[in-house]
Amino acid sequence: MMFLSGSVLGFIFLSSLLLFPANSIRLFKAEDESDLFMEAPVYQNGPHCPVLGKDTLICDSSIVHIAMTIDPEYLRGTIAAIHSVVKHGSCPQNVFFHFIASDSSSVVPTQLIRIVKSVFPSLSFKVYVFQNKLVRDLVSSSIRQALDNPLNYARIYLADLLEACIQKVIYLDSDTIVVDDIQKLWNINLTGSRTIGAPEYCNANFDKYFTSDFWSNPGFSKVFEGKRACYFNTGVMVMDLVRWRQGDYTREIEKWMRVQKDKRIYELGSLPPFLLVFGGDIEAIDHRWNQHGLGGDNLVNSCRPLHPGPVSLLHWSGKGKPWVRIDAKRPCSVDFLWAPYDLYKFHAYSQHRQSDGFRFDSL
């Protein structure tokens, strides 16, 4: 867990480089695509962690299951996110990653497996292939092209993609960094019949996530009757897959996506159908588990400050990604909280000092 103020961010960046001295990370020979990344340090379980058999790990409900998408455009972010989880986890060897790859990706799953194994040789994981045709006729255009990527909708199908024995999973976006023990998030109970747990933001203007055509149609807006529906970000979710399957929520979300194709009731990709199905009925998790919006709320080069209070997870939701801004020498100060987890060999801050052309935008 971290407590941060804007005045210390520059110092954190400089000191964080000392946390990963060059001799602690072995470089690969230039032989294949794995040459893009350095091998992560080895993080081992603490003495209190249970010893688990590798053969049954994928169905073991006592370990932490994490699902993420993985693709060439966000691979650098995914690698950094994995690194943050295992670095700060109390039992990093008792975490299983479920990576979802697109069937139309320019990088085939076997290549992705080689890359991940080369960076994290002891990581327990599996790569699943998401068929874009599942949503090809359901996805409608949104305010940002990245939100239209079919892989952005893979989180809707986790209950179908993952093994039936997996009862619970944490979903993380690839532009997140965990700075606390992931076990704490995993241990949060979803009370009653709740299927999803996520930080809620009830001060946000909920009406703006849907069009006037939606709110003026009683047949649509009645979905929120009797509920105190609040905005939540789908980039960090604890999901009960047993309840999801029982409720057939994938089909419920698909139903709203079909309505959207016909009536245009929202503008923001995969988020609004989640709000329609789960809004007002999620387990509210502490805000520390999603310091979102660090990507600038869809605005180019729009730096955002951290919210006050403790931080367990940083999320660069929005258009600006830290690796892009750093390499363009236009980083926001919060991007240097992401930098220590970056294992990309050719990052800009390995070739330039802070005074050699970097522009630091204000918080």
Side-chain angles (χ1 to χ4, degrees):
M1 185 175 61
M2 129 183 344
F3 294 84
L4 298 169
S5 66
S7 62
V8 300
L9 290 176
F11 170 75
I12 289 175
F13 167 60
L14 293 174
S15 61
S16 67
L17 295 181
L18 301 177
L19 297 176
F20 297 92
N23 59 7
S24 71
I25 303 178
R26 179 171 59 83
L27 301 182
F28 294 95
K29 296 179 181 178
E31 295 174 347
D32 55 28
E33 63 275 354
S34 65
D35 186 53
L36 293 173
F37 296 94
M38 299 174 283
E39 183 176 326
V42 176
Y43 300 104
Q44 298 182 336
N45 282 351
H48 66 286
C49 300
V51 179
L52 304 173
K54 283 284 185 181
D55 294 339
T56 59
L57 204 60
I58 197 169
C59 286
D60 195 322
S61 60
S62 66
I63 67 168
V64 177
H65 291 272
I66 298 176
M68 303 179 70
T69 58
I70 186 168
D71 71 319
E73 183 178 358
Y74 285 85
L75 182 59
R76 188 168 164 188
T78 302
I79 295 294
I82 301 167
H83 188 194
S84 72
V85 170
V86 295
K87 173 177 172 56
H88 295 290
S90 58
C91 299
Q93 293 172 296
N94 293 1
V95 178
F96 196 102
F97 285 86
H98 306 265
F99 298 119
I100 317 301
S102 170
D103 63 350
S104 63
S105 172
S106 59
V107 180
V108 298
T110 52
Q111 289 176 293
L112 294 171
I113 291 171
R114 285 199 300 269
I115 293 171
V116 175
K117 280 187 174 180
S118 69
V119 183
F120 305 100
S122 61
L123 192 73
S124 297
F125 72 93
K126 179 178 178 179
V127 174
Y128 304 75
V129 176
F130 177 69
Q131 298 183 11
N132 288 356
K133 67 180 182 181
L134 289 173
V135 295
R136 185 172 295 124
D137 296 330
L138 296 174
V139 174
S140 55
S141 61
S142 60
I143 61 172
R144 186 155 54 91
Q145 188 175 5
L147 300 177
D148 300 339
N149 186 337
L151 197 59
N152 195 43
Y153 293 81
R155 71 197 78 188
I156 297 169
Y157 295 89
L158 290 177
D160 299 330
L161 287 167
L162 273 54
E163 285 77 2
C165 62
I166 299 171
Q167 301 177 6
K168 179 181 177 182
V169 70
I170 294 172
Y171 176 82
L172 296 178
D173 272 351
S174 295
D175 53 2
T176 57
I177 290 294
V178 178
V179 294
D180 204 343
D181 186 357
I182 196 67
Q183 190 74 46
K184 296 178 183 178
L185 182 59
W186 178 258
N187 288 340
I188 292 174
N189 291 321
L190 304 182
T191 59
S193 61
R194 293 187 173 97
T195 303
I196 285 178
E200 280 188 311
Y201 302 91
C202 294
N203 291 329
N205 181 6
F206 191 79
D207 290 358
K208 72 177 183 179
Y209 293 100
F210 301 94
T211 64
S212 57
D213 287 344
F214 171 85
W215 292 114
S216 63
N217 187 324
F220 296 154
S221 58
K222 70 178 181 181
V223 70
F224 295 121
E225 283 184 5
K227 297 181 180 180
R228 185 171 183 260
C230 299
Y231 162 74
F232 64 94
N233 183 283
T234 58
V236 180
M237 297 184 289
V238 180
M239 307 173 70
D240 186 319
L241 297 185
V242 175
R243 293 173 186 168
W244 184 290
R245 295 174 182 122
Q246 291 172 345
D248 201 16
Y249 290 120
T250 298
R251 308 290 90 79
E252 287 294 307
I253 291 177
E254 287 180 335
K255 179 188 75 175
W256 282 110
M257 292 172 68
R258 291 188 181 94
V259 172
Q260 161 72 355
K261 289 287 285 188
D262 183 45
K263 300 294 185 180
R264 193 69 182 180
I265 59 174
Y266 55 79
E267 304 288 349
L268 271 174
S270 64
L271 168 63
F274 266 90
L275 297 178
L276 287 162
V277 174
F278 296 107
D281 192 26
I282 72 166
E283 189 73 32
I285 293 175
D286 195 292
H287 288 182
R288 73 178 63 193
W289 285 106
N290 195 347
Q291 277 265 357
H292 69 291
L294 302 183
D297 279 358
N298 305 323
L299 299 176
V300 178
N301 296 323
S302 175
C303 292
R304 294 288 301 274
L306 291 174
H307 306 296
V311 182
S312 292
L313 185 147
L314 300 164
H315 186 189
W316 279 260
S317 57
K319 189 170 185 178
K321 302 307 173 188
W323 57 92
V324 175
R325 296 194 295 217
I326 287 172
D327 286 355
K329 302 183 186 180
R330 291 183 58 87
C332 295
S333 297
V334 293
D335 296 342
F336 292 118
L337 298 175
W338 179 89
Y341 306 96
D342 185 14
L343 295 173
Y344 185 60
K345 285 185 180 180
F346 308 105
H347 46 62
Y349 41 84
S350 68
Q351 303 167 35
H352 301 276
R353 291 176 301 172
Q354 187 168 326
S355 59
D356 291 340
F358 277 107
R359 171 179 171 179
F360 292 89
D361 293 313
S362 61
L363 281 172

